Amino acid sequence: MKIAITTSGDSLAAPLDSRFGRAPRFLLLELADGSFTLVDNRQNLDAAQGAGIQAAQNLAATGARALITGHCGPKAFRVLQAAGIQVYTTPGAPTVAAAVEAYRAGRLQPLAAADVEGHWA
Amino acid sequence: MKELAIVSGKGGTGKTSVTASFAALAGGRAVLADCDVDAADLHLILAPTVVERQPFRGGHEAVIRQADCIGCGACLAHCRFEAVRMAADPEDATAPPRFTVEPTACEGCGACVRFCPVQAIAFPERECGEWRRSETRFGPLLHAQLGVAAENSGKLVSLVRRQARRQAEATGRDLILSDGPPGIGCPVIAALTGATLALAITEPTVAGEHDLERLLALARHFRLPVLVSVNKWDLNPAMAAQIEAAARRAGARIAGRIRYDRAVTTAQIRAQAVVEGPETGCAQDIRQLWATVLEALNG
Amino acid sequence: MILAIASGKGGTGKTSVAVALAQAATGKVQYVDCDVEAPNGHLFLHPAITERREACLPVPAVDAARCTGCGECARFCQYNALAALGTNVLTFPELCHGCGGCAKLCPAGAIREVPRRIGVVESGQAGTVRVTQGRLDVGHPAAPPLIRAVKRQAGADGLAILDCPPGTACPVVAAVRGCDALLLVTEPTPFGRHDLTLAVALARGLRLPLAVAINRCDTGDRQTEAYCRAEGLPVLLRLPDDRRVAEAYSRGEGMLAARPEWARLFRQLPAAMATLGQGGAP
């Protein structure tokens, strides 16, 4: 099963990026064997609005079944939910590896709804 | 991180004047953000030294390549925003008409680009203005200038706020003071979403009352707590009281009043915050208001 | 003649001037409130509203049964108002600009446009003045489509006075476009002057004939007058700061209720505006 973690870096040691819509990339991890790929998310840098919506579609296309990030707004959440992607937030995890560790240990709670108000734009 | 958004509904009630004084009173603790991006005035008091400026790009605009255009008019037929102009060819009366896109009306939807039968329409990114990070005597200021007649003011407001947040994190500050725009449309929505608290500055007039009511409805829509302050309250004390009563019924808290004083204009002309000038009753009122706002932010 | 009244800075007196002009002008007069986020003219004119129409924006509705999951609609939309997850296409109508592109391009014909209410347009009479106003639904972000709908209701003959929103962004552009002349109302303060320069740049960018009105002209400083002189901007109206006018305003009474003798200042405006050249050059 693949899970995605938002990050600005390029490895498991990289810091977790707490943003979803405007995170530079996702680290897409295959839980079974620990291999990963990096998925670019920078189409959103100049998005006039709805960056989270674009990011969610972007993520849905990767086949990820879960997302770990810092916060998730309502529009992004709606798309992720429709795509069947479980969203976990962990604003406190310093690195991708720490976030994955917390996830594997069952310490992360899945979101039932967006945890922050959307940015209008 | 706490963010105070200073809004009003009605224009001209004193948002920027109050923000400038709050900046002075915050003792360097705050990052300042001027979110009134298409008519920004806070810098006129704060005298910023610009440290960083970046172009702001938002969306696209349609540009018809005249050399490729066959004059079929499909663009005009598809445009919902009255942005396509048709004019007779000035040099040849028998030639097909010329079509051009008016940049100030184009909303960058891309319909004409998509449906042009000969792909004669370019769709470049639109440069809508500039945002700036500056140093001021009260702390860092994030501000912007939206290009004349440009779109995407909401996006620029969001960008200014994001940069203010970054600056606060980078400098170990925990408070953002945002000077908001008038109205209740997308730049105001962009200034309010995710803020900790809104302070609505109004005036003791029927227009102030009417527009405040709409603003409070908007804040309720976003479940944002609101403090209300009637500025120039002594111009019509009965109206001031009426507005406060209605605001309470609408779920807002009354934070205090500010009396009318020509010193506000004098201070503006001197490029000073009111509280930097002589200690008038009005300056006292603003200090008291700041104390109440701080308590609400900390509480 | 379509005469737009704008400002740059809020609170300079656009509505006060627009209302006074509507009341003082002779012949067929319309007051059109284009400040749809915060319409105030009705507070002074007290029109008897006889027509009320919902204003709607056409937004996409996707027929899942017909959708083939090609994703073209989501790729086309510049505003992310559509999110395609296979054949499950989500719509975000609050982000939609109503361009109609998605419905037209869908290869399966699975998208139709449905009306989404954004506000109301109302009309009625206030004495001899016909009043038309728009009111944006609270929470709806975009004013321009409603402003265009309000302007479409404005009649073609006589004098139409457009009371415009503050600022210089797209709501103002939607309001002032196509007017015959633009009057910028300002106050002689640093904020007023600064925002006036932005509004003048807007007016010149739109190539609109332009004049200035200075409200509370005996307060503040001399910079605004100096700026107008330097830029060749005709100042067609100067109104002093007047406590009685301010008090009347606070009660919902127009300028002319407190100062009826000012009517002649407003009466001469339309003819003076009609003779303006483009861009403010006298």
Side-chain angles (χ1 to χ4, degrees):
Chain A
M1 175 176 135
K2 293 199 200 115
I3 66 172
I5 306 100
T6 46
T7 182
S8 49
D10 56 12
S11 73
L12 291 164
L16 178 114
D17 194 317
S18 65
R19 303 166 296 174
F20 172 61
R22 289 178 204 271
R25 62 181 67 89
F26 308 125
L27 187 146
L28 192 66
L29 177 77
E30 172 53 72
L31 283 175
D33 63 13
S35 65
F36 67 87
T37 56
L38 296 168
V39 178
D40 189 73
N41 191 42
R42 270 178 305 220
Q43 79 282 338
N44 295 322
L45 286 187
D46 282 331
Q49 53 195 66
I53 297 170
Q54 270 197 306
Q57 284 177 100
N58 197 18
L59 187 62
T62 66
R65 306 300 303 145
L67 164 73
I68 310 175
T69 184
H71 298 289
C72 185
K75 296 190 191 71
F77 187 81
R78 192 177 149 214
V79 182
L80 292 166
Q81 194 170 44
I85 297 173
Q86 197 74 266
V87 185
Y88 299 86
T89 55
T90 175
T95 64
V96 173
V100 174
E101 166 67 35
Y103 172 80
R104 284 191 197 268
R107 290 201 299 273
L108 299 185
Q109 287 301 312
L111 283 190
D115 74 324
V116 285
E117 191 58 63
H119 303 282
W120 154 247
Chain B
M1 182 69 62
K2 314 241 176 172
E3 186 175 350
L4 176 73
I6 298 165
V7 287
S8 61
K10 187 170 186 325
T13 57
K15 294 179 289 306
T16 301
S17 300
V18 169
T19 308
S21 279
F22 280 9
L25 296 169
R29 175 189 164 192
V31 170
L32 313 161
D34 191 345
C35 294
D36 193 359
V37 298
D38 65 315
D41 293 328
L42 189 58
H43 66 283
L44 297 172
I45 306 292
L46 264 44
T49 307
V50 180
V51 168
E52 182 186 354
R53 21 173 127 234
Q54 300 287 353
F56 161 62
R57 288 186 192 93
H60 297 257
E61 57 180 335
V63 182
I64 298 173
R65 285 188 289 263
Q66 295 300 316
D68 300 334
C69 174
I70 59 170
C72 73
C75 48
L76 179 62
H78 283 288
C79 182
R80 293 263 178 99
F81 309 108
E82 298 164 12
V84 179
R85 285 271 162 277
M86 177 175 87
D89 188 327
E91 271 138 49
D92 182 354
T94 63
R98 294 262 181 94
F99 290 86
T100 50
V101 175
E102 245 186 64
T104 54
C106 176
E107 297 202 2
C109 74
C112 63
V113 178
R114 178 61 178 248
F115 295 111
C116 172
V118 295
Q119 279 90 58
I121 306 181
F123 203 43
E125 253 191 311
R126 202 200 296 245
E127 198 157 300
C128 303
E130 185 182 84
W131 68 269
R132 299 160 191 159
R133 181 168 64 84
S134 297
E135 287 299 325
T136 74
R137 61 188 181 284
F138 302 134
L141 170 68
L142 276 301
H143 51 141
Q145 186 59 63
L146 192 69
V148 169
E151 298 239 335
N152 293 303
S153 54
K155 184 193 177 193
L156 185 53
V157 168
S158 293
L159 198 159
V160 167
R161 288 179 67 202
R162 249 195 331 274
Q163 292 299 332
R165 196 159 282 249
R166 263 178 102 188
Q167 190 58 22
E169 281 161 7
T171 58
R173 288 176 164 91
D174 66 343
L175 177 60
I176 299 169
L177 297 177
S178 290
D179 187 7
I184 58 164
C186 72
V188 179
I189 293 171
L192 289 177
T193 59
T196 312
L197 178 66
L199 171 64
I201 307 284
T202 188
E203 57 180 42
T205 66
V206 295
E209 175 185 45
H210 174 272
D211 299 349
L212 177 67
E213 190 189 317
R214 283 167 67 70
L215 176 71
L216 293 180
L218 184 69
R220 272 199 307 280
H221 185 87
F222 288 105
R223 289 190 287 271
L224 182 66
V226 185
L227 294 177
V228 170
S229 175
V230 183
N231 191 13
K232 301 176 262 189
W233 72 269
D234 46 334
L235 291 182
N236 191 330
M239 181 59 82
Q242 183 175 307
I243 288 173
E244 288 173 344
R248 279 193 193 95
R249 282 194 300 274
R253 256 186 62 201
I254 306 308
R257 300 172 168 186
I258 304 171
R259 74 196 72 177
Y260 177 75
D261 194 331
R262 292 217 169 186
V264 174
T265 301
T266 310
Q268 194 190 119
I269 291 170
R270 290 198 188 128
Q272 275 184 331
V274 172
V275 297
E276 285 183 295
E279 198 55 24
T280 57
C282 176
Q284 271 301 313
D285 291 340
I286 295 175
R287 285 181 196 279
Q288 185 58 52
L289 182 63
W290 172 244
T292 307
V293 166
L294 256 191
E295 211 185 295
L297 278 170
N298 292 330
Chain C
M1 176 177 170
I2 302 173
L3 207 163
I5 305 196
S7 62
K9 190 181 183 313
T12 54
K14 290 178 292 308
T15 297
S16 295
V17 166
V19 165
L21 179 58
Q23 292 171 329
T26 54
K28 190 166 180 202
V29 181
Q30 273 186 96
Y31 167 86
V32 184
D33 201 339
C34 297
D35 187 0
V36 302
E37 296 178 32
N40 289 337
H42 65 103
L43 299 169
F44 302 91
L45 290 168
H46 308 291
I49 298 296
T50 50
E51 288 156 48
R52 194 163 197 274
R53 194 180 308 178
E54 272 192 358
C56 296
L57 194 67
V59 299
V62 182
D63 183 348
R66 287 194 179 191
C67 175
T68 63
C70 72
E72 268 305 296
C73 54
R75 273 192 295 277
F76 166 81
C77 182
Q78 295 294 312
Y79 314 108
N80 287 306
L82 295 156
L85 303 166
T87 56
N88 183 10
V89 177
L90 303 179
T91 64
F92 291 88
E94 68 272 29
L95 301 181
C96 176
H97 280 219
C99 76
C102 56
K104 291 174 195 167
L105 63 71
C106 174
I111 301 181
R112 67 182 217 286
E113 291 184 273
V114 296
R116 172 187 161 86
R117 180 188 146 132
I118 59 174
V120 292
V121 180
E122 299 169 324
S123 291
Q125 273 314 113
T128 54
V129 178
R130 178 156 181 79
V131 174
T132 299
Q133 63 189 19
R135 185 182 296 269
L136 188 70
D137 282 349
V138 171
H140 186 83
L146 181 56
I147 295 172
R148 286 191 285 268
V150 171
K151 286 172 71 174
R152 278 196 290 274
Q153 294 302 312
D157 51 343
L159 172 66
I161 300 162
L162 269 44
D163 190 358
C164 302
T168 60
C170 51
V172 178
V173 176
V176 304
R177 278 189 85 200
C179 72
D180 295 311
L182 176 61
L183 181 68
L184 295 177
V185 181
T186 189
E187 60 181 39
T189 62
F191 292 177
R193 190 188 73 79
H194 173 75
D195 295 351
L196 177 65
T197 63
L198 302 174
V200 168
L202 170 67
R204 287 179 168 159
L206 296 175
R207 298 216 291 276
L208 297 172
L210 177 60
V212 172
I214 304 181
N215 197 8
R216 299 187 282 273
C217 62
D218 51 348
T219 64
D221 60 28
R222 295 270 152 271
Q223 301 299 316
T224 301
E225 289 271 8
Y227 166 75
C228 292
R229 257 195 317 274
E231 290 291 318
L233 296 169
V235 178
L236 295 184
L237 191 62
R238 286 179 182 81
L239 301 169
D241 191 20
D242 188 305
R243 182 111 186 174
R244 277 167 48 183
V245 167
E247 284 167 356
Y249 175 80
S250 78
R251 289 192 301 267
E253 291 165 28
M255 285 178 154
L256 300 184
R259 291 284 174 207
E261 66 273 24
W262 286 5
R264 64 170 183 82
L265 298 173
F266 290 93
R267 208 167 287 133
Q268 52 88 28
L269 264 182
M273 300 287 300
T275 61
L276 290 175
Q278 275 194 0

